[in-house]
Amino acid sequence: MTMTATTVQEIQLEQVSMRYRTDASEVLALQQVSLNIGRGEFVSLLGPSGCGKTTLLRIMADLLQPSEGSVTVAGKSAREARLAQKYGIVFQSPVLYDWRKVKTNITLPLELMGVKKADRERKAAELLELVGLEKFRDKYPWQLSGGMQQRVAIARALAMEPEILLMDEPFSALDEFSRERLNEELLSIWSKVGSTVVFVTHSIPEAVFLSDRVFVLSPHPGRLSAVVEIPLPRPRTQEMRNGPEFFGLIAKIRDSFEGV
Ligand SMILES: Nc1ncnc2c1ncn2[C@@H]1O[C@H](COP(=O)(O)OP(=O)(O)OP(=O)(O)O)[C@@H](O)[C@H]1O
Ligand SMILES: [Mg+2]
């Protein structure tokens, strides 16, 4: 998807800055970041460690208040969006409960919202199929591989059918093979649920493979240094990773870092 005048805006950041104050010092983690994300778009926040990616994601999710600037989500405040359950969040390490089976880890948000057991069962079956874990529904998280655990976390984030899926380096702890497979699976899930995705990564190939657009952040202080369109057709395939267009886009993003 490319951004056009007719694209419905989902997330808008206006001049967002974030200062962390500790006892003795102050860190300017983000400096005047402005960006727009369209409804249904898949975007990545890309940059080196410490450039403010998690900070930016937390601000979008209303888990953190910016020092300056504003966040608008579908025309309302981030707080209203959070209260309206518009967000599903997947963290870097899957925060699963060891004493709950896969099935009930996934339906935890529904349980907290007081959804009836029969409806939870139905939703669990649907989500387990979506992430390909039907056979593991009665296993415990510690019986699964890291990649499977992350799929459980994704299923749980999708339980409330969020309009926006925020993902903070969800695959960075995985080996390259699992990661590439999960990238493809995530795109297949996204094509079915149609939510807006904001995906944090420090991997350039991962950002290129997944995204409609890549927001490149530079560190100290974190600023938006480039926005790169990824015009690769969808569905994206593993073969594309070997094509000249893919390498061209990687080079383009790398160049945008060198200019920083
Ligand atoms: N709670 C905090 N208090 C003080 N400084 C913080 C806090 N959280 C983050 N920072 C600082 O803000 C900057 C941005 O941190 P952030 O975690 O957003 O980076 P990141 O891009 O997500 O890094 P990584 O890729 O390592 O996860 C860093 O310099 C970090 O030290
Ligand atoms: Mg981070």
Side-chain angles (χ1 to χ4, degrees), residues 87-103:
Y87 302 113
I89 307 180
V90 180
F91 296 97
Q92 187 160 352
S93 47
V95 192
L96 302 176
Y97 298 98
D98 270 348
W99 60 90
R100 281 181 166 249
K101 290 178 176 173
V102 164
K103 186 178 67 177

Side-chain angles (χ1 to χ4, degrees), residues 44 94 164:
S44 291
I164 300 165

Side-chain angles (χ1 to χ4, degrees), residues 160-215:
M160 296 296 292
E161 299 178 4
E163 198 170 300
I164 300 165
L165 188 57
L166 303 174
M167 309 181 84
D168 194 353
E169 304 205 37
F171 308 137
S172 61
L174 305 176
D175 64 85
E176 203 68 16
F177 300 100
S178 311
R179 187 170 179 158
E180 290 187 357
R181 211 188 49 242
L182 279 167
N183 280 173
E184 218 179 340
E185 279 179 24
L186 173 62
L187 289 182
S188 145
I189 291 168
W190 171 65
S191 73
K192 289 175 196 146
V193 299
S195 49
T196 306
V197 182
V198 183
F199 188 96
V200 166
T201 181
H202 52 242
S203 159
I204 303 178
E206 183 169 61
V208 170
F209 185 76
L210 294 171
S211 311
D212 293 315
R213 288 188 302 152
V214 178
F215 293 101

Side-chain angles (χ1 to χ4, degrees), residues 86-138:
K86 279 188 194 275
Y87 302 113
I89 307 180
V90 180
F91 296 97
Q92 187 160 352
S93 47
V95 192
L96 302 176
Y97 298 98
D98 270 348
W99 60 90
R100 281 181 166 249
K101 290 178 176 173
V102 164
K103 186 178 67 177
T104 49
N105 259 290
I106 290 176
T107 53
L108 180 64
L110 301 174
E111 221 175 292
L112 296 175
M113 290 305 291
V115 173
K116 287 206 294 280
K117 184 145 193 258
D119 294 332
R120 293 204 306 264
E121 295 274 336
R122 194 169 329 114
K123 193 69 195 174
E126 188 188 313
L127 289 165
L128 284 162
E129 194 195 332
L130 186 68
V131 300
L133 289 177
E134 299 101 313
K135 291 200 191 100
F136 299 88
R137 54 184 309 208
D138 292 317

